[in-house]
Coordinates of all heavy atoms in Angstrom, one line a residue:
G1 N -45.5 106.5 39.6 CA -46.7 105.8 39.9 C -46.5 104.4 40.2 O -47.1 103.8 41.1
Q2 N -45.5 103.7 39.4 CA -45.2 102.3 39.7 C -44.6 102.2 41.0 O -44.8 101.2 41.8 CB -44.2 101.9 38.5 CG -44.9 101.7 37.2 CD -45.8 100.5 37.1 OE1 -45.6 99.5 37.9 NE2 -46.8 100.5 36.2
L3 N -43.7 103.2 41.4 CA -43.1 103.0 42.7 C -44.1 103.1 43.8 O -44.0 102.4 44.8 CB -42.1 104.3 42.9 CG -40.8 104.3 41.9 CD1 -40.1 105.5 42.1 CD2 -40.0 103.1 42.3
G4 N -45.1 104.0 43.6 CA -46.2 103.9 44.6 C -46.9 102.7 44.8 O -47.2 102.2 45.9
D5 N -47.1 102.0 43.6 CA -47.8 100.8 43.6 C -47.0 99.7 44.4 O -47.5 98.8 45.1 CB -48.1 100.3 42.2 CG -49.2 101.1 41.6 OD1 -49.9 101.8 42.3 OD2 -49.2 101.1 40.3
W6 N -45.7 99.7 44.1 CA -44.8 98.7 44.8 C -44.8 99.0 46.3 O -44.6 98.1 47.1 CB -43.4 98.8 44.1 CG -43.3 98.0 42.8 CD1 -43.8 96.8 42.6 CD2 -42.7 98.5 41.6 NE1 -43.5 96.5 41.3 CE2 -42.9 97.4 40.6 CE3 -42.0 99.6 41.2 CZ2 -42.4 97.5 39.4 CZ3 -41.6 99.7 39.9 CH2 -41.8 98.7 39.0
K7 N -44.8 100.3 46.6 CA -44.7 100.6 48.1 C -45.9 100.0 48.7 O -45.9 99.5 49.9 CB -44.6 102.1 48.3 CG -43.2 102.7 48.0 CD -43.1 104.1 48.5 CE -43.8 105.1 47.7 NZ -43.6 106.5 48.2
T8 N -47.1 100.3 48.1 CA -48.4 99.7 48.7 C -48.4 98.1 48.9 O -48.7 97.6 49.8 CB -49.6 100.1 47.8 OG1 -49.6 101.5 47.7 CG2 -50.8 99.6 48.3
C9 N -47.8 97.6 47.7 CA -47.7 96.1 47.8 C -46.8 95.6 48.9 O -47.1 94.6 49.6 CB -47.1 95.6 46.5 SG -47.1 93.8 46.3
H10 N -45.7 96.3 49.1 CA -44.7 96.0 50.2 C -45.4 96.1 51.6 O -45.2 95.3 52.5 CB -43.5 96.7 50.1 CG -42.5 96.4 49.1 ND1 -41.9 95.1 49.1 CD2 -42.0 97.0 48.1 CE1 -41.1 95.1 48.0 NE2 -41.1 96.2 47.4
L11 N -46.2 97.2 51.7 CA -46.9 97.3 53.0 C -47.9 96.2 53.3 O -48.1 95.7 54.4 CB -47.6 98.7 53.0 CG -46.7 99.9 53.1 CD1 -47.5 101.2 52.9 CD2 -46.0 100.0 54.5
Q12 N -48.6 95.8 52.3 CA -49.6 94.6 52.4 C -48.8 93.3 52.7 O -49.2 92.6 53.6 CB -50.3 94.4 51.1 CG -51.3 95.6 50.7 CD -51.9 95.5 49.4 OE1 -51.4 94.7 48.5 NE2 -52.9 96.2 49.1
L13 N -47.7 93.2 52.1 CA -46.9 91.9 52.4 C -46.4 91.9 53.9 O -46.3 90.8 54.6 CB -45.7 91.9 51.5 CG -46.0 91.4 50.0 CD1 -44.7 91.6 49.2 CD2 -46.4 89.9 50.1
Q14 N -46.0 93.2 54.4 CA -45.6 93.2 55.7 C -46.6 92.8 56.8 O -46.3 92.1 57.8 CB -45.3 94.8 56.0 CG -44.7 95.0 57.4 CD -44.2 96.4 57.5 OE1 -43.2 96.8 57.0 NE2 -45.1 97.2 58.2
D15 N -47.9 92.9 56.5 CA -49.0 92.4 57.3 C -49.2 90.9 57.1 O -49.7 90.3 58.1 CB -50.3 93.2 57.0 CG -50.2 94.7 57.5 OD1 -49.4 95.0 58.3 OD2 -51.0 95.5 56.8
R16 N -49.0 90.4 56.0 CA -49.4 89.1 55.7 C -48.2 88.1 55.9 O -48.5 86.9 56.3 CB -49.7 89.0 54.2 CG -51.1 89.6 53.9 CD -51.2 89.9 52.3 NE -51.0 88.6 51.6 CZ -50.8 88.6 50.3 NH1 -50.8 89.8 49.6 NH2 -50.5 87.6 49.7
L17 N -47.0 88.4 55.8 CA -45.9 87.5 55.9 C -44.8 88.0 56.9 O -44.1 88.8 56.5 CB -45.3 87.2 54.5 CG -46.3 86.7 53.4 CD1 -45.6 86.8 52.0 CD2 -46.7 85.3 53.8
Y18 N -44.9 87.5 58.1 CA -44.0 87.9 59.1 C -42.5 87.7 58.7 O -41.6 88.5 59.0 CB -44.3 87.4 60.5 CG -43.4 87.8 61.6 CD1 -43.5 89.0 62.2 CD2 -42.4 86.9 62.0 CE1 -42.6 89.5 63.2 CE2 -41.5 87.3 63.0 CZ -41.7 88.6 63.5 OH -40.8 88.9 64.5
A19 N -42.3 86.6 58.1 CA -41.0 86.1 57.8 C -40.3 87.0 56.8 O -39.1 87.2 56.6 CB -41.0 84.7 57.1
L20 N -41.1 87.9 56.1 CA -40.5 88.8 55.1 C -40.5 90.3 55.6 O -40.2 91.1 54.8 CB -41.4 88.8 53.8 CG -41.4 87.4 53.0 CD1 -42.3 87.6 51.8 CD2 -39.9 87.2 52.5
V21 N -40.7 90.5 56.8 CA -40.8 91.8 57.4 C -39.5 92.5 57.3 O -39.4 93.7 56.8 CB -41.3 91.8 58.9 CG1 -41.1 93.2 59.5 CG2 -42.7 91.5 59.0
E22 N -38.4 91.9 57.6 CA -37.1 92.6 57.6 C -36.6 92.9 56.2 O -36.1 94.0 55.9 CB -36.1 91.7 58.3 CG -36.2 91.6 59.8 CD -36.3 92.9 60.5 OE1 -35.5 93.9 60.2 OE2 -37.1 93.1 61.4
Q23 N -37.0 91.9 55.3 CA -36.5 92.1 53.9 C -37.4 93.2 53.3 O -37.0 94.1 52.5 CB -36.8 90.8 53.2 CG -36.5 90.9 51.6 CD -36.7 89.6 50.9 OE1 -37.0 88.6 51.5 NE2 -36.5 89.7 49.6
N24 N -38.7 93.3 53.7 CA -39.6 94.3 53.2 C -39.2 95.7 53.7 O -39.3 96.7 52.9 CB -41.0 94.0 53.7 CG -42.1 94.9 53.0 OD1 -42.2 94.8 51.8 ND2 -42.7 95.7 53.8
K25 N -38.8 95.9 54.9 CA -38.3 97.1 55.4 C -37.2 97.7 54.5 O -37.0 98.8 54.2 CB -37.9 97.0 56.8 CG -39.1 96.9 57.8 CD -38.7 96.8 59.2 CE -39.9 96.6 60.2 NZ -39.4 96.4 61.5
S26 N -36.2 96.8 54.3 CA -35.0 97.2 53.5 C -35.5 97.6 52.1 O -35.0 98.6 51.6 CB -34.1 95.9 53.4 OG -33.5 95.6 54.6
A27 N -36.4 96.9 51.5 CA -37.0 97.2 50.1 C -37.6 98.6 50.2 O -37.4 99.4 49.3 CB -37.9 96.2 49.7
M28 N -38.4 98.9 51.3 CA -39.1 100.1 51.4 C -38.0 101.3 51.4 O -38.2 102.3 50.8 CB -39.9 100.2 52.7 CG -41.2 99.4 52.5 SD -42.3 100.2 51.3 CE -42.6 101.8 52.1
K29 N -36.9 101.1 52.2 CA -35.9 102.1 52.2 C -35.3 102.5 50.9 O -35.1 103.6 50.5 CB -34.8 101.7 53.1 CG -35.2 101.7 54.7 CD -34.1 101.2 55.6 CE -34.5 101.2 56.9 NZ -33.4 100.8 57.9
L30 N -35.0 101.4 50.1 CA -34.5 101.5 48.7 C -35.5 102.2 47.8 O -35.2 103.0 47.0 CB -34.1 100.2 48.2 CG -33.0 99.5 48.8 CD1 -32.7 98.1 48.3 CD2 -31.7 100.3 48.6
L31 N -36.8 101.9 48.0 CA -37.8 102.5 47.1 C -37.9 104.0 47.5 O -38.1 104.8 46.5 CB -39.1 101.8 47.4 CG -39.3 100.5 46.7 CD1 -40.6 99.8 47.2 CD2 -39.4 100.7 45.2
E32 N -37.8 104.4 48.8 CA -37.9 105.8 49.1 C -36.7 106.6 48.5 O -36.9 107.7 48.0 CB -37.8 105.9 50.6 CG -39.1 105.5 51.3 CD -40.4 106.2 51.0 OE1 -40.2 107.3 50.4 OE2 -41.5 105.8 51.3
L33 N -35.5 105.9 48.5 CA -34.3 106.5 48.0 C -34.6 106.8 46.4 O -34.3 107.8 45.8 CB -33.2 105.7 48.2 CG -32.6 105.7 49.6 CD1 -31.4 104.7 49.8 CD2 -32.2 107.1 50.1
E34 N -35.1 105.7 45.8 CA -35.4 105.8 44.3 C -36.5 106.9 44.1 O -36.4 107.6 43.1 CB -35.9 104.5 43.8 CG -36.0 104.3 42.4 CD -34.7 104.1 41.7 OE1 -33.6 104.2 42.4 OE2 -34.6 103.7 40.6
D35 N -37.5 106.9 44.9 CA -38.6 108.0 44.8 C -37.9 109.4 44.9 O -38.3 110.3 44.1 CB -39.7 107.8 45.8 CG -40.9 108.6 45.5 OD1 -41.1 109.0 44.3 OD2 -41.7 108.9 46.5
T36 N -37.0 109.5 45.9 CA -36.4 110.8 46.1 C -35.6 111.2 44.8 O -35.6 112.3 44.3 CB -35.5 110.9 47.3 OG1 -36.3 110.6 48.4 CG2 -34.8 112.1 47.5
S37 N -34.9 110.2 44.3 CA -34.1 110.5 43.1 C -35.0 110.9 41.9 O -34.6 111.8 41.1 CB -33.3 109.1 42.7 OG -32.6 109.3 41.5
V38 N -36.1 110.1 41.8 CA -37.0 110.6 40.7 C -37.6 112.0 40.9 O -37.6 112.7 39.9 CB -38.3 109.6 40.7 CG1 -39.3 110.1 39.6 CG2 -37.7 108.1 40.3
V39 N -37.9 112.3 42.1 CA -38.4 113.7 42.4 C -37.4 114.7 42.0 O -37.7 115.8 41.4 CB -38.9 113.8 43.9 CG1 -39.2 115.3 44.2 CG2 -40.1 112.9 44.2
N40 N -36.1 114.4 42.5 CA -35.0 115.4 42.1 C -34.9 115.6 40.7 O -34.6 116.6 40.1 CB -33.7 114.9 42.8 CG -33.8 115.0 44.4 OD1 -34.5 115.7 45.0 ND2 -32.9 114.2 45.0
M41 N -34.9 114.4 40.0 CA -34.6 114.5 38.5 C -35.8 115.2 37.8 O -35.6 115.9 36.8 CB -34.4 113.0 37.9 CG -33.1 112.4 38.4 SD -31.7 113.3 37.8 CE -31.8 113.1 36.1
T42 N -37.0 114.9 38.3 CA -38.2 115.6 37.7 C -38.1 117.1 38.0 O -38.4 117.8 37.0 CB -39.5 115.1 38.4 OG1 -39.6 113.6 38.2 CG2 -40.7 115.8 37.9
T43 N -37.7 117.5 39.2 CA -37.5 118.9 39.5 C -36.5 119.6 38.5 O -36.7 120.7 37.9 CB -37.1 119.1 40.9 OG1 -38.1 118.7 41.8 CG2 -36.9 120.7 41.2
Q44 N -35.3 118.9 38.3 CA -34.3 119.4 37.4 C -34.9 119.5 36.0 O -34.6 120.5 35.3 CB -33.1 118.5 37.4 CG -32.4 118.5 38.7 CD -31.2 117.5 38.8 OE1 -30.7 117.2 37.7 NE2 -30.8 117.0 39.9
G45 N -35.6 118.4 35.5 CA -36.2 118.4 34.2 C -37.2 119.6 34.0 O -37.2 120.2 33.0
E46 N -38.0 119.9 35.0 CA -39.0 121.0 35.0 C -38.3 122.3 34.8 O -38.6 123.1 34.0 CB -39.9 120.9 36.2 CG -40.9 119.7 36.3 CD -42.0 119.9 35.2 OE1 -42.0 120.8 34.5 OE2 -42.8 118.9 35.2

């Protein structure tokens, strides 16, 4: 849930601050990887 909040925050920043667009894109990729890791670990735990 925290990851989802951070993804939403990053998307809002992308619209507001052009100077941070490239940095924000990189952060989104890392968050997606982290989210996938959480999903995989959750599946294994279930």
Side-chain angles (χ1 to χ4, degrees):
Q2 290 288 336
L3 292 173
D5 293 339
W6 279 315
K7 285 193 288 185
T8 299
C9 185
H10 281 301
L11 288 172
Q12 293 172 346
L13 284 170
Q14 184 171 281
D15 294 332
R16 290 162 50 194
L17 302 171
Y18 178 78
L20 294 175
V21 167
E22 293 303 320
Q23 180 181 356
N24 188 64
K25 288 180 179 179
S26 297
M28 284 295 297
K29 290 179 181 179
L30 291 173
L31 285 168
E32 292 295 347
L33 291 174
E34 189 81 344
D35 192 21
T36 298
S37 177
V38 173
V39 171
N40 290 337
M41 292 300 293
T42 299
T43 299
Q44 294 177 25
E46 292 286 3

